[in-house]
Amino acid sequence: MLNKIESLLQEIKSLKADSADAAEQLRIKYLSKKGRVSLLFEEFKTVPADQKKAVGMALNQLKKSTQDVIQQLKDTFNRDEGANGQIDYTLPGTSRPIGSRHPLAVVRNEIVDIFARLGFTVSEGPEVEDDWHVFSALNFPPEHPARDMQDTFFVNKDPDVLLRTHTSSVQVRVMETQQPPIRSIFPGRVFRNEAISARAHCMFHQVEGLYVDEKVSFADLKQTLLYFAKEFFGEQSEIRLRPSYFPFTEPSAEMDVSCSICGGKGCNVCKYTGWLEILGCGMVDPNVLDSCGIDSKKYSGFAFGMGIERIAMLKYQIKDIRLFFENDVRFLEQFKSAL
Ligand code: DAH
């Protein structure tokens, strides 16, 4: 009996088929009720008790091998060929799960896209910076608290090697290497030594904007930002500018946009004020232009900076900034976008 099984196994291993039909015929020949493998199972009843264990195992192995061989033969035909042996282009393809963009990338791309329509180019700068580009050239006085260990991450305790605390540093790099007209935005990652909470993180993203040319005025700044607000938050959006202070702009302002959730009537997102603060801005301080090699008597400019996380949180009503960095797929896969 064991010999019979062995020789049938050899026979089956060398089986060939030239079509799916032929493979099906082989299945009938070996595996159907009256097939050759099945008949051996019939014969098994006559095997003496002391051989039953060995023969039974061999039989089961034979059946499994036969099924595998025949399935393999069938697969070669089923994979991509129709009944006439041609490739069947109508068969559905193998689908693969499609990822989605990170919400911060979605928002950044949308911001870049809006300013690109106004003729702004995109530039980038290094995340590890020096004091000059992050602070000194931007008119930060020596005793300014942002220069303190408390707020800034220094690399190797060297006061001149630090992680940039804002993307305003890229303004300096661009003005040092280009002459006006300059019309550019700088998206990027920034770092601050802050305790992590639902509202703050030690690493986040900003988009900085800079426009320098002859006769650039505050009206240009206001109109540019109004255009941005309407494109991003909707045509009905309004903006308001509140006086503020930044060392590198004079005058400086903070901009609020009318709350797009309640339309300005007041809700818990805008804390019942009808307004959401979204960015800082101002006219580039003449000291900054001069520090970067641009003639402040001839040129003027405006600058602005916004936090991408903050804008994304407003847009999608996300209540906790930490969600952006936990990479939980259930959170991330909700953001499908064309951009
Ligand atoms: N750099 C500022 C910050 O990180 C944001 C900012 C404010 C940028 C005013 C500007 C500006 O360009 O004009 O808080």
Side-chain angles (χ1 to χ4, degrees):
M1 181 81 179
L2 279 173
N3 289 343
K4 260 198 209 165
I5 294 173
E6 180 55 30
S7 69
L8 190 55
L9 184 63
Q10 291 315 318
E11 178 182 328
I12 286 167
K13 278 189 174 157
S14 58
L15 286 180
K16 295 214 161 30
D18 53 12
S19 69
D21 255 1
E24 174 60 10
Q25 288 309 318
L26 290 175
R27 189 193 65 79
I28 294 167
K29 179 171 174 194
Y30 291 97
L31 292 169
S32 67
K33 261 211 167 119
K34 295 261 172 285
R36 294 184 52 195
V37 174
S38 311
L39 291 178
L40 280 181
F41 274 86
E42 288 293 311
E43 229 179 295
F44 179 68
K45 292 171 188 154
T46 63
V47 172
D50 60 336
Q51 291 172 29
K52 269 205 155 56
K53 190 174 173 203
V55 175
M57 271 165 61
L59 260 183
N60 281 329
Q61 190 53 50
L62 173 70
K63 185 172 173 188
K64 168 114 201 356
S65 303
T66 314
Q67 286 169 336
D68 288 350
V69 166
I70 290 177
Q71 193 54 48
Q72 263 175 28
L73 290 173
K74 285 190 168 182
D75 284 349
T76 43
F77 300 108
N78 287 345
R79 194 171 305 142
D80 47 20
E81 289 184 16
N84 57 0
Q86 301 279 307
I87 291 177
D88 182 355
Y89 294 106
T90 66
L91 283 176
T94 323
S95 61
R96 300 188 193 287
I98 299 174
S100 54
R101 272 193 213 293
H102 193 283
L104 296 176
V106 172
V107 171
R108 182 201 56 214
N109 291 353
E110 208 171 312
I111 296 170
V112 168
D113 195 56
I114 292 170
F115 283 102
R117 275 181 251 148
L118 292 174
F120 282 74
T121 58
V122 178
S123 307
E124 284 181 11
E127 290 174 2
V128 180
E129 265 291 7
D130 52 26
D131 180 279
W132 170 256
H133 291 93
V134 178
F135 299 128
S136 298
L138 289 167
N139 215 23
F140 277 79
E143 72 284 3
H144 195 284
R147 292 171 178 249
D148 194 38
M149 281 286 193
Q150 300 298 312
D151 300 286
T152 305
F153 287 116
F154 292 89
V155 178
N156 294 336
K157 298 205 164 76
D158 182 340
D160 202 31
V161 186
L162 48 103
L163 301 183
R164 65 180 178 193
T165 56
H166 53 184
T167 42
S168 303
S169 55
V170 191
Q171 282 189 32
V172 179
R173 290 198 173 266
V174 167
M175 288 192 280
E176 280 174 338
T177 51
Q178 296 173 30
Q179 280 298 307
I182 297 170
R183 194 160 36 176
S184 200
I185 55 169
F186 324 122
R189 187 156 39 186
V190 301
F191 307 85
R192 284 182 201 174
N193 191 2
E194 285 192 29
I196 297 173
S197 72
R199 313 207 45 165
H201 213 286
C202 58
M203 176 197 86
F204 54 100
H205 299 79
Q206 292 184 329
V207 178
E208 184 86 10
L210 177 70
Y211 185 16
V212 184
D213 202 350
E214 288 177 38
K215 301 195 181 71
V216 174
S217 73
F218 203 89
D220 297 316
L221 168 63
K222 197 173 168 189
Q223 196 58 33
T224 304
L225 294 178
L226 177 63
Y227 174 80
F228 167 72
K230 284 181 180 291
E231 289 294 299
F232 192 89
F233 292 102
E235 187 51 38
Q236 72 299 334
S237 299
E238 292 173 43
I239 60 167
R240 74 176 183 190
L241 292 162
R242 284 178 289 103
S244 184
Y245 173 77
F246 300 101
F248 38 92
T249 43
E250 181 60 36
S252 304
E254 272 167 297
M255 187 180 102
D256 299 339
V257 63
S258 55
C259 179
S260 53
I261 311 290
C262 62
K265 287 193 207 66
C267 67
N268 63 351
V269 175
C270 61
K271 304 213 177 69
Y272 300 95
T273 63
W275 295 96
L276 302 163
E277 183 196 322
I278 60 161
L279 56 82
C281 60
M283 301 306 292
V284 181
D285 193 304
N287 281 346
V288 175
L289 294 175
D290 290 332
S291 294
C292 300
I294 288 179
D295 183 356
S296 63
K297 295 202 177 56
K298 185 165 179 210
Y299 296 109
S300 58
F302 67 70
F304 57 86
M306 60 185 107
I308 303 184
E309 279 79 0
R310 172 152 178 86
I311 292 183
M313 287 168 87
L314 294 174
K315 179 178 166 111
Y316 299 115
Q317 295 192 49
I318 295 164
K319 300 245 156 24
D320 193 325
I321 194 172
R322 290 170 290 200
L323 286 165
F324 290 122
F325 307 112
E326 281 165 2
N327 284 337
D328 184 330
V329 200
R330 292 167 302 175
F331 171 73
L332 296 177
E333 70 189 358
Q334 300 175 73
F335 305 93
K336 307 271 182 218
S337 153
L339 281 174

